[in-house]
Amino acid sequence: MTVLFHCPYCGTKVQDNESYCIKCGKRLPEDIHNRLHLSKGSKKFWFLPLAILFLLALSIGVFYLFLENQTAQAKELYSDGEKNAQKGNFEKAKDLFEQALEQKENFPQASNAIEFMDIAIIIQSKLDNAAKELAKLEYQEALNGIVETESSLKNYNGSVVKKLVNEIVLTRNTIKIEQLKSQLQKKPTNDELKVLLWEAESIKSNEAEKITSNIRNQIIDYTYSKASEQLNKHHFSDAQTLVNDGLIYAPDSKKLKSLQTAIDNEKIAFETAQQRRIESAISTAEKERKQNKNDAVELVDVKLLNDEQGKLVVKGEVKSIATIPINTILVEYDLLTKEGEKFKSNEVYVFPDTLYPNEAGEFEFTHFDITNKAKELKVEVTKTKWYTDK
Protein backbone atom coordinates (compact mmCIF):
# COMPACT_ATOMS: atom_id res chain seq x y z
CA MET A 1 0.00 0.00 0.00
CA THR A 2 1.43 3.40 -0.98
CA VAL A 3 1.36 6.19 1.61
CA LEU A 4 0.81 9.73 0.34
CA PHE A 5 2.37 12.66 2.16
CA HIS A 6 1.18 16.25 2.00
CA CYS A 7 2.38 19.65 3.08
CA PRO A 8 0.41 20.42 6.23
CA TYR A 9 0.25 24.08 5.18
CA CYS A 10 -0.95 24.09 1.57
CA GLY A 11 -1.86 20.47 0.97
CA THR A 12 0.65 19.95 -1.84
CA LYS A 13 1.84 16.37 -2.33
CA VAL A 14 5.42 15.95 -1.05
CA GLN A 15 8.00 13.15 -0.71
CA ASP A 16 9.05 11.66 2.61
CA ASN A 17 12.68 12.76 2.12
CA GLU A 18 11.88 16.43 1.26
CA SER A 19 12.56 19.15 3.89
CA TYR A 20 10.72 22.05 2.22
CA CYS A 21 7.43 22.30 0.36
CA ILE A 22 8.05 22.86 -3.32
CA LYS A 23 4.95 25.08 -3.55
CA CYS A 24 4.60 27.21 -0.44
CA GLY A 25 8.32 26.96 0.50
CA LYS A 26 7.68 26.27 4.19
CA ARG A 27 9.78 23.80 6.14
CA LEU A 28 8.15 20.43 6.44
CA PRO A 29 7.73 18.79 9.86
CA GLU A 30 10.50 16.36 10.88
CA ASP A 31 7.91 13.95 12.18
CA ILE A 32 6.78 12.08 9.15
CA HIS A 33 3.36 11.46 10.67
CA ASN A 34 2.61 15.18 10.57
CA ARG A 35 2.82 14.97 6.80
CA LEU A 36 -0.07 12.55 6.63
CA HIS A 37 -2.88 15.10 7.44
CA LEU A 38 -3.59 18.71 6.51
CA SER A 39 -3.60 21.38 9.15
CA LYS A 40 -6.84 23.09 10.09
CA GLY A 41 -5.69 26.21 8.28
CA SER A 42 -4.98 24.29 5.11
CA LYS A 43 -8.39 22.59 5.26
CA LYS A 44 -10.17 25.95 5.39
CA PHE A 45 -8.18 27.21 2.46
CA TRP A 46 -9.08 24.06 0.55
CA PHE A 47 -12.83 24.64 0.91
CA LEU A 48 -12.78 28.42 0.27
CA PRO A 49 -13.11 28.21 -3.53
CA LEU A 50 -16.03 25.88 -3.12
CA ALA A 51 -17.73 28.32 -0.76
CA ILE A 52 -17.17 31.17 -3.18
CA LEU A 53 -18.58 29.14 -6.02
CA PHE A 54 -21.60 28.25 -3.92
CA LEU A 55 -22.26 31.84 -2.93
CA LEU A 56 -21.82 32.97 -6.53
CA ALA A 57 -24.26 30.36 -7.74
CA LEU A 58 -26.72 31.30 -5.02
CA SER A 59 -26.48 34.99 -5.94
CA ILE A 60 -26.99 34.25 -9.60
CA GLY A 61 -30.01 32.13 -8.78
CA VAL A 62 -31.55 34.80 -6.59
CA PHE A 63 -30.88 37.46 -9.22
CA TYR A 64 -32.36 35.21 -11.90
CA LEU A 65 -35.47 34.67 -9.77
CA PHE A 66 -35.67 38.43 -9.23
CA LEU A 67 -35.44 39.07 -12.96
CA GLU A 68 -37.99 36.37 -13.65
CA ASN A 69 -40.36 37.94 -11.15
CA GLN A 70 -39.89 41.37 -12.71
CA THR A 71 -40.46 39.94 -16.21
CA ALA A 72 -43.61 38.19 -15.03
CA GLN A 73 -44.92 41.39 -13.46
CA ALA A 74 -44.04 43.35 -16.60
CA LYS A 75 -45.85 40.84 -18.78
CA GLU A 76 -48.89 40.93 -16.52
CA LEU A 77 -48.97 44.73 -16.63
CA TYR A 78 -48.55 44.64 -20.39
CA SER A 79 -51.42 42.15 -20.70
CA ASP A 80 -53.68 44.39 -18.59
CA GLY A 81 -52.67 47.32 -20.79
CA GLU A 82 -53.71 45.40 -23.90
CA LYS A 83 -57.09 44.59 -22.37
CA ASN A 84 -57.73 48.24 -21.58
CA ALA A 85 -56.61 49.26 -25.05
CA GLN A 86 -59.10 46.79 -26.51
CA LYS A 87 -61.84 48.50 -24.49
CA GLY A 88 -60.73 51.94 -25.67
CA ASN A 89 -59.31 52.96 -22.26
CA PHE A 90 -56.16 54.36 -23.85
CA GLU A 91 -55.08 56.56 -20.91
CA LYS A 92 -55.27 53.62 -18.50
CA ALA A 93 -53.56 51.35 -21.01
CA LYS A 94 -50.69 53.82 -21.44
CA ASP A 95 -50.18 53.97 -17.66
CA LEU A 96 -50.01 50.17 -17.47
CA PHE A 97 -47.52 49.98 -20.35
CA GLU A 98 -45.33 52.57 -18.61
CA GLN A 99 -45.41 50.48 -15.41
CA ALA A 100 -44.45 47.42 -17.42
CA LEU A 101 -41.48 49.33 -18.88
CA GLU A 102 -40.41 50.32 -15.36
CA GLN A 103 -40.42 46.66 -14.34
CA LYS A 104 -38.46 45.61 -17.41
CA GLU A 105 -36.37 48.23 -19.16
CA ASN A 106 -35.59 46.07 -22.16
CA PHE A 107 -39.24 45.70 -23.21
CA PRO A 108 -39.63 47.02 -26.81
CA GLN A 109 -43.25 45.91 -27.04
CA ALA A 110 -44.14 48.18 -24.12
CA SER A 111 -42.23 51.09 -25.66
CA ASN A 112 -44.07 50.67 -28.97
CA ALA A 113 -47.38 50.33 -27.16
CA ILE A 114 -46.80 53.61 -25.28
CA GLU A 115 -46.03 55.36 -28.56
CA PHE A 116 -49.18 53.93 -30.12
CA MET A 117 -51.30 54.90 -27.10
CA ASP A 118 -50.25 58.55 -27.56
CA ILE A 119 -51.54 58.40 -31.13
CA ALA A 120 -54.71 56.55 -30.09
CA ILE A 121 -55.46 59.16 -27.39
CA ILE A 122 -55.14 61.97 -29.96
CA ILE A 123 -57.38 60.11 -32.43
CA GLN A 124 -60.02 59.42 -29.79
CA SER A 125 -60.02 63.09 -28.84
CA LYS A 126 -60.51 64.08 -32.49
CA LEU A 127 -63.34 61.58 -32.89
CA ASP A 128 -65.06 63.01 -29.80
CA ASN A 129 -64.69 66.54 -31.16
CA ALA A 130 -66.06 65.42 -34.54
CA ALA A 131 -69.14 64.05 -32.79
CA LYS A 132 -69.66 67.43 -31.11
CA GLU A 133 -69.30 69.30 -34.42
CA LEU A 134 -71.77 66.90 -36.03
CA ALA A 135 -74.28 67.59 -33.27
CA LYS A 136 -73.98 71.30 -34.14
CA LEU A 137 -74.51 70.45 -37.86
CA GLU A 138 -71.00 71.70 -38.63
CA TYR A 139 -70.32 68.95 -41.15
CA GLN A 140 -67.19 70.28 -42.83
CA GLU A 141 -65.54 71.16 -39.52
CA ALA A 142 -66.29 67.65 -38.27
CA LEU A 143 -64.69 66.12 -41.38
CA ASN A 144 -61.65 68.40 -41.20
CA GLY A 145 -61.03 67.27 -37.63
CA ILE A 146 -60.48 63.62 -38.60
CA VAL A 147 -58.98 64.10 -42.06
CA GLU A 148 -55.51 62.69 -41.21
CA THR A 149 -56.35 60.32 -38.37
CA GLU A 150 -56.40 57.16 -40.49
CA SER A 151 -53.04 57.92 -42.13
CA SER A 152 -51.39 58.24 -38.69
CA LEU A 153 -52.11 54.53 -38.11
CA LYS A 154 -50.48 53.25 -41.30
CA ASN A 155 -47.33 52.03 -39.48
CA TYR A 156 -49.29 49.98 -36.93
CA ASN A 157 -51.39 46.84 -37.04
CA GLY A 158 -53.38 44.63 -34.72
CA SER A 159 -56.92 44.37 -33.42
CA VAL A 160 -56.85 47.73 -31.61
CA VAL A 161 -55.63 49.45 -34.77
CA LYS A 162 -58.34 47.76 -36.80
CA LYS A 163 -60.95 48.82 -34.26
CA LEU A 164 -59.75 52.43 -34.40
CA VAL A 165 -59.73 52.44 -38.20
CA ASN A 166 -63.29 51.07 -38.24
CA GLU A 167 -64.38 53.78 -35.81
CA ILE A 168 -62.74 56.47 -37.96
CA VAL A 169 -64.43 55.15 -41.11
CA LEU A 170 -67.79 54.86 -39.34
CA THR A 171 -67.54 58.41 -38.00
CA ARG A 172 -66.52 59.81 -41.38
CA ASN A 173 -69.33 57.97 -43.17
CA THR A 174 -71.87 59.13 -40.59
CA ILE A 175 -70.81 62.76 -41.05
CA LYS A 176 -70.92 62.49 -44.85
CA ILE A 177 -74.34 60.84 -44.82
CA GLU A 178 -75.79 63.52 -42.55
CA GLN A 179 -74.22 66.18 -44.77
CA LEU A 180 -75.79 64.58 -47.86
CA LYS A 181 -79.21 64.48 -46.19
CA SER A 182 -78.91 68.16 -45.34
CA GLN A 183 -77.93 69.09 -48.90
CA LEU A 184 -80.76 67.03 -50.41
CA GLN A 185 -83.30 68.87 -48.25
CA LYS A 186 -82.26 72.10 -50.00
CA LYS A 187 -83.60 70.81 -53.35
CA PRO A 188 -80.34 70.89 -55.30
CA THR A 189 -80.17 71.44 -59.06
CA ASN A 190 -79.51 68.56 -61.44
CA ASP A 191 -75.84 69.54 -61.73
CA GLU A 192 -75.55 69.63 -57.95
CA LEU A 193 -77.21 66.20 -57.77
CA LYS A 194 -74.47 64.80 -60.00
CA VAL A 195 -71.81 65.94 -57.52
CA LEU A 196 -73.80 64.55 -54.60
CA LEU A 197 -74.14 61.23 -56.43
CA TRP A 198 -70.36 60.94 -56.70
CA GLU A 199 -70.01 61.70 -52.98
CA ALA A 200 -72.72 59.19 -52.02
CA GLU A 201 -71.12 56.43 -54.11
CA SER A 202 -67.81 56.92 -52.26
CA ILE A 203 -69.46 55.96 -48.95
CA LYS A 204 -69.63 52.23 -48.29
CA SER A 205 -72.74 51.61 -46.20
CA ASN A 206 -76.32 50.41 -46.64
CA GLU A 207 -77.74 53.85 -45.86
CA ALA A 208 -75.42 55.47 -48.40
CA GLU A 209 -76.62 52.98 -51.04
CA LYS A 210 -80.22 54.08 -50.42
CA ILE A 211 -79.24 57.75 -50.75
CA THR A 212 -77.28 56.95 -53.92
CA SER A 213 -80.34 55.25 -55.40
CA ASN A 214 -82.55 58.20 -54.46
CA ILE A 215 -80.19 60.73 -56.07
CA ARG A 216 -79.84 58.62 -59.22
CA ASN A 217 -83.64 58.38 -59.54
CA GLN A 218 -83.91 62.18 -59.25
CA ILE A 219 -81.36 62.57 -62.04
CA ILE A 220 -83.26 60.05 -64.17
CA ASP A 221 -86.61 61.81 -63.65
CA TYR A 222 -85.16 65.23 -64.39
CA THR A 223 -83.38 63.99 -67.51
CA TYR A 224 -86.47 62.16 -68.76
CA SER A 225 -88.66 65.24 -68.27
CA LYS A 226 -86.30 67.70 -69.96
CA ALA A 227 -85.46 65.33 -72.83
CA SER A 228 -89.17 64.68 -73.42
CA GLU A 229 -89.78 68.42 -73.68
CA GLN A 230 -87.09 68.71 -76.32
CA LEU A 231 -88.47 65.67 -78.12
CA ASN A 232 -91.95 67.20 -78.24
CA LYS A 233 -90.40 70.28 -79.85
CA HIS A 234 -88.62 68.02 -82.34
CA HIS A 235 -85.25 69.13 -80.96
CA PHE A 236 -83.83 65.64 -81.37
CA SER A 237 -80.14 66.48 -80.91
CA ASP A 238 -80.81 68.33 -77.66
CA ALA A 239 -83.00 65.49 -76.40
CA GLN A 240 -80.36 62.90 -77.30
CA THR A 241 -77.63 64.94 -75.57
CA LEU A 242 -79.69 65.11 -72.38
CA VAL A 243 -80.36 61.36 -72.38
CA ASN A 244 -76.72 60.48 -73.08
CA ASP A 245 -75.63 62.69 -70.20
CA GLY A 246 -78.20 61.08 -67.91
CA LEU A 247 -76.99 57.60 -68.84
CA ILE A 248 -73.51 58.53 -67.62
CA TYR A 249 -74.94 58.73 -64.09
CA ALA A 250 -77.55 55.99 -64.52
CA PRO A 251 -76.16 53.58 -67.14
CA ASP A 252 -78.65 50.84 -66.26
CA SER A 253 -81.77 53.01 -66.40
CA LYS A 254 -84.42 51.26 -68.50
CA LYS A 255 -86.45 54.47 -68.50
CA LEU A 256 -83.70 56.51 -70.19
CA LYS A 257 -82.75 53.71 -72.58
CA SER A 258 -86.38 53.45 -73.66
CA LEU A 259 -86.54 57.21 -74.24
CA GLN A 260 -83.29 57.02 -76.21
CA THR A 261 -84.89 54.50 -78.55
CA ALA A 262 -88.02 56.66 -78.84
CA ILE A 263 -85.92 59.68 -79.79
CA ASP A 264 -84.18 57.73 -82.56
CA ASN A 265 -87.51 56.47 -83.91
CA GLU A 266 -89.17 59.90 -83.72
CA LYS A 267 -86.22 61.51 -85.45
CA ILE A 268 -86.44 59.06 -88.36
CA ALA A 269 -90.22 59.48 -88.60
CA PHE A 270 -89.97 63.28 -88.45
CA GLU A 271 -87.26 63.46 -91.08
CA THR A 272 -89.26 61.16 -93.35
CA ALA A 273 -92.41 63.22 -92.87
CA GLN A 274 -90.47 66.41 -93.37
CA GLN A 275 -89.11 65.14 -96.65
CA ARG A 276 -92.62 64.29 -97.73
CA ARG A 277 -93.80 67.75 -96.70
CA ILE A 278 -91.06 69.32 -98.76
CA GLU A 279 -92.07 67.28 -101.76
CA SER A 280 -95.72 68.14 -101.15
CA ALA A 281 -94.88 71.78 -100.67
CA ILE A 282 -93.14 71.88 -104.00
CA SER A 283 -96.18 70.43 -105.71
CA THR A 284 -98.61 72.75 -103.92
CA ALA A 285 -96.52 75.88 -104.11
CA GLU A 286 -97.80 76.64 -107.57
CA LYS A 287 -101.39 76.06 -106.48
CA GLU A 288 -100.94 78.48 -103.62
CA ARG A 289 -99.35 81.04 -105.89
CA LYS A 290 -102.30 80.83 -108.22
CA GLN A 291 -104.73 80.99 -105.32
CA ASN A 292 -103.02 84.03 -103.86
CA LYS A 293 -103.14 85.68 -107.27
CA ASN A 294 -106.60 84.74 -108.43
CA ASP A 295 -108.69 83.58 -105.51
CA ALA A 296 -107.34 85.17 -102.33
CA VAL A 297 -110.46 87.03 -101.19
CA GLU A 298 -113.82 85.60 -100.18
CA LEU A 299 -116.95 87.75 -99.94
CA VAL A 300 -118.53 87.18 -96.56
CA ASP A 301 -121.42 89.65 -96.72
CA VAL A 302 -122.69 92.76 -98.57
CA LYS A 303 -125.85 94.76 -97.86
CA LEU A 304 -127.64 98.04 -98.42
CA LEU A 305 -128.97 100.25 -95.61
CA ASN A 306 -129.88 103.83 -94.87
CA ASP A 307 -128.05 105.81 -92.22
CA GLU A 308 -129.68 108.18 -89.73
CA GLN A 309 -129.75 110.91 -92.34
CA GLY A 310 -131.44 108.57 -94.83
CA LYS A 311 -128.37 108.28 -97.07
CA LEU A 312 -127.80 105.03 -98.95
CA VAL A 313 -124.90 103.00 -97.53
CA VAL A 314 -123.21 99.96 -99.05
CA LYS A 315 -121.59 97.87 -96.32
CA GLY A 316 -119.83 94.54 -96.52
CA GLU A 317 -117.16 92.13 -95.23
CA VAL A 318 -114.49 90.05 -96.96
CA LYS A 319 -112.07 87.40 -95.70
CA SER A 320 -108.55 86.52 -96.84
CA ILE A 321 -108.14 82.92 -97.89
CA ALA A 322 -104.63 83.53 -99.17
CA THR A 323 -101.57 81.83 -97.68
CA ILE A 324 -99.64 85.08 -97.51
CA PRO A 325 -100.51 88.67 -96.52
CA ILE A 326 -102.48 90.67 -99.14
CA ASN A 327 -103.01 94.41 -99.25
CA THR A 328 -104.84 97.29 -100.98
CA ILE A 329 -108.00 95.26 -101.53
CA LEU A 330 -110.50 96.93 -103.87
CA VAL A 331 -114.13 95.81 -104.11
CA GLU A 332 -116.18 96.66 -107.23
CA TYR A 333 -120.00 96.50 -107.05
CA ASP A 334 -123.15 97.40 -109.01
CA LEU A 335 -126.37 98.92 -107.73
CA LEU A 336 -129.46 97.33 -109.28
CA THR A 337 -133.14 97.96 -109.25
CA LYS A 338 -135.51 95.35 -107.94
CA GLU A 339 -135.99 94.31 -111.54
CA GLY A 340 -132.24 93.73 -111.88
CA GLU A 341 -131.38 96.74 -113.97
CA LYS A 342 -127.97 98.23 -113.22
CA PHE A 343 -128.04 101.94 -112.78
CA LYS A 344 -124.70 102.59 -110.99
CA SER A 345 -121.25 101.01 -110.49
CA ASN A 346 -118.75 101.87 -107.83
CA GLU A 347 -115.60 100.64 -106.08
CA VAL A 348 -114.43 100.87 -102.48
CA TYR A 349 -111.25 99.87 -100.54
CA VAL A 350 -111.26 97.38 -97.67
CA PHE A 351 -109.93 98.30 -94.26
CA PRO A 352 -107.53 97.50 -92.75
CA ASP A 353 -105.28 97.85 -95.75
CA THR A 354 -103.43 94.56 -95.16
CA LEU A 355 -105.12 91.23 -94.41
CA TYR A 356 -103.27 88.19 -93.17
CA PRO A 357 -104.38 84.61 -93.86
CA ASN A 358 -107.90 83.98 -92.49
CA GLU A 359 -108.20 87.59 -91.39
CA ALA A 360 -111.41 89.56 -92.20
CA GLY A 361 -111.79 93.15 -93.44
CA GLU A 362 -114.68 95.55 -93.98
CA PHE A 363 -115.72 98.01 -96.65
CA GLU A 364 -118.29 100.79 -96.50
CA PHE A 365 -119.43 103.54 -98.90
CA THR A 366 -122.15 106.23 -98.54
CA HIS A 367 -123.92 107.44 -101.70
CA PHE A 368 -124.92 111.04 -101.08
CA ASP A 369 -126.32 111.42 -104.62
CA ILE A 370 -128.89 108.59 -104.42
CA THR A 371 -132.22 109.19 -102.71
CA ASN A 372 -133.61 105.68 -103.10
CA LYS A 373 -134.42 103.64 -100.08
CA ALA A 374 -132.25 100.61 -99.44
CA LYS A 375 -135.19 98.29 -99.68
CA GLU A 376 -135.85 99.52 -103.23
CA LEU A 377 -132.41 98.47 -104.54
CA LYS A 378 -130.05 95.54 -104.71
CA VAL A 379 -126.25 95.41 -104.56
CA GLU A 380 -124.00 92.94 -106.36
CA VAL A 381 -120.17 92.60 -105.93
CA THR A 382 -118.71 92.11 -109.38
CA LYS A 383 -114.97 92.02 -108.77
CA THR A 384 -112.24 92.23 -106.15
CA LYS A 385 -108.64 93.22 -106.68
CA TRP A 386 -105.59 92.99 -104.31
CA TYR A 387 -101.83 93.07 -104.19
CA THR A 388 -99.30 90.64 -102.71
CA ASP A 389 -95.71 91.18 -101.62
CA LYS A 390 -94.57 88.29 -103.77
Side-chain angles (χ1 to χ4, degrees):
M1 178 180 178
T2 303
V3 179
L4 299 177
F5 298 98
H6 299 84
C7 171
Y9 306 109
C10 68
T12 303
K13 187 185 295 185
V14 297
Q15 301 296 325
D16 58 351
N17 58 351
E18 290 179 329
S19 297
Y20 295 92
C21 178
I22 61 174
K23 184 175 182 181
C24 67
K26 291 184 178 182
R27 186 178 180 84
L28 297 172
E30 294 294 335
D31 189 349
I32 198 72
H33 294 287
N34 291 332
R35 301 183 186 185
L36 294 175
H37 304 285
L38 295 173
S39 66
K40 291 181 180 179
S42 66
K43 289 181 181 178
K44 290 180 181 179
F45 185 77
W46 175 265
F47 286 103
L48 183 59
L50 293 177
I52 292 173
L53 288 173
F54 175 74
L55 289 174
L56 182 60
L58 181 62
S59 298
I60 292 173
V62 171
F63 183 69
Y64 176 77
L65 290 175
F66 174 74
L67 289 179
E68 284 292 313
N69 182 57
Q70 279 193 316
T71 300
Q73 288 183 354
K75 288 182 177 179
E76 184 176 354
L77 289 167
Y78 183 84
S79 177
D80 290 343
E82 284 185 320
K83 292 177 182 177
N84 276 275
Q86 288 282 359
K87 296 177 182 179
N89 302 328
F90 301 126
E91 293 280 1
K92 178 65 176 176
K94 179 184 176 182
D95 182 60
L96 290 168
F97 291 139
E98 288 175 341
Q99 292 181 45
L101 193 61
E102 290 175 2
Q103 291 291 325
K104 183 181 179 183
E105 292 184 3
N106 186 21
F107 199 169
Q109 294 94 329
S111 298
N112 293 335
I114 292 171
E115 181 182 335
F116 174 67
M117 285 302 100
D118 287 335
I119 296 174
I121 290 169
I122 293 172
I123 291 175
Q124 189 61 61
S125 175
K126 289 184 176 182
L127 290 173
D128 293 340
N129 289 333
K132 293 177 183 177
E133 295 292 344
L134 177 60
K136 294 188 293 184
L137 306 182
E138 299 291 342
Y139 306 110
Q140 199 55 49
E141 287 78 1
L143 287 172
N144 291 339
I146 59 172
V147 67
E148 295 181 357
T149 50
E150 191 172 351
S151 62
S152 64
L153 297 172
K154 63 182 179 180
N155 295 326
Y156 299 91
N157 54 38
S159 58
V160 178
V161 176
K162 185 177 181 180
K163 187 176 180 180
L164 265 179
V165 170
N166 289 340
E167 190 172 351
I168 292 169
V169 172
L170 179 62
T171 300
R172 183 170 60 240
N173 288 349
T174 300
I175 295 170
K176 286 186 175 182
I177 287 173
E178 292 303 317
Q179 187 178 34
L180 280 172
K181 289 180 179 178
S182 175
Q183 291 170 321
L184 287 172
Q185 288 176 352
K186 298 176 182 178
K187 297 181 179 180
T189 64
N190 193 58
D191 289 336
E192 290 171 338
L193 283 173
K194 294 173 184 178
V195 177
L196 295 179
L197 177 65
W198 177 80
E199 292 178 1
E201 287 179 327
S202 67
I203 304 172
K204 306 301 180 185
S205 72
N206 292 334
E207 189 171 7
E209 288 181 4
K210 293 179 182 178
I211 294 175
T212 300
S213 178
N214 176 269
I215 295 173
R216 184 173 284 113
N217 286 335
Q218 289 189 51
I219 292 174
I220 291 171
D221 292 342
Y222 176 87
T223 302
Y224 189 90
S225 176
K226 293 300 179 181
S228 295
E229 289 178 6
Q230 295 302 316
L231 177 59
N232 292 335
K233 296 176 183 178
H234 298 142
H235 297 168
F236 303 108
S237 295
D238 292 340
Q240 193 66 266
T241 299
L242 284 168
V243 172
N244 290 340
D245 182 69
L247 286 171
I248 293 174
Y249 302 93
D252 299 324
S253 173
K254 294 181 179 178
K255 190 174 183 179
L256 292 183
K257 288 182 178 179
S258 176
L259 183 59
Q260 188 179 48
T261 302
I263 292 171
D264 291 337
N265 293 338
E266 285 293 322
K267 181 180 180 181
I268 293 172
F270 179 81
E271 290 175 348
T272 301
Q274 188 176 43
Q275 182 62 35
R276 290 174 180 171
R277 284 194 297 272
I278 292 173
E279 293 173 355
S280 176
I282 292 173
S283 64
T284 59
E286 183 61 22
K287 294 179 181 179
E288 288 186 5
R289 189 188 67 79
K290 290 179 179 179
Q291 177 181 336
N292 294 333
K293 182 179 178 181
N294 305 319
D295 195 20
V297 176
E298 178 184 66
L299 179 64
V300 177
D301 182 41
V302 63
K303 57 187 175 181
L304 289 171
L305 52 87
N306 294 105
D307 62 12
E308 293 179 356
Q309 287 76 35
K311 303 301 182 184
L312 184 67
V313 178
V314 178
K315 191 173 185 179
E317 180 182 356
V318 295
K319 178 181 178 183
S320 171
I321 56 174
T323 59
I324 57 175
I326 57 176
N327 55 71
T328 317
I329 304 168
L330 182 66
V331 176
E332 297 180 3
Y333 63 88
D334 292 335
L335 292 177
L336 309 172
T337 64
K338 285 293 184 180
E339 291 74 23
E341 295 180 5
K342 180 176 74 173
F343 69 91
K344 188 172 184 66
S345 295
N346 192 34
E347 54 186 29
V348 61
Y349 287 99
V350 173
F351 60 90
D353 181 69
T354 300
L355 294 183
Y356 292 89
N358 295 318
E359 189 175 22
E362 298 178 357
F363 59 89
E364 183 177 327
F365 189 87
T366 303
H367 291 271
F368 292 93
D369 57 340
I370 299 177
T371 59
N372 300 69
K373 299 295 183 183
K375 60 183 179 180
E376 299 172 353
L377 303 172
K378 295 191 297 184
V379 61
E380 184 179 291
V381 174
T382 58
K383 192 175 184 180
T384 54
K385 299 178 181 178
W386 60 90
Y387 294 93
T388 64
D389 294 332
K390 296 182 179 181

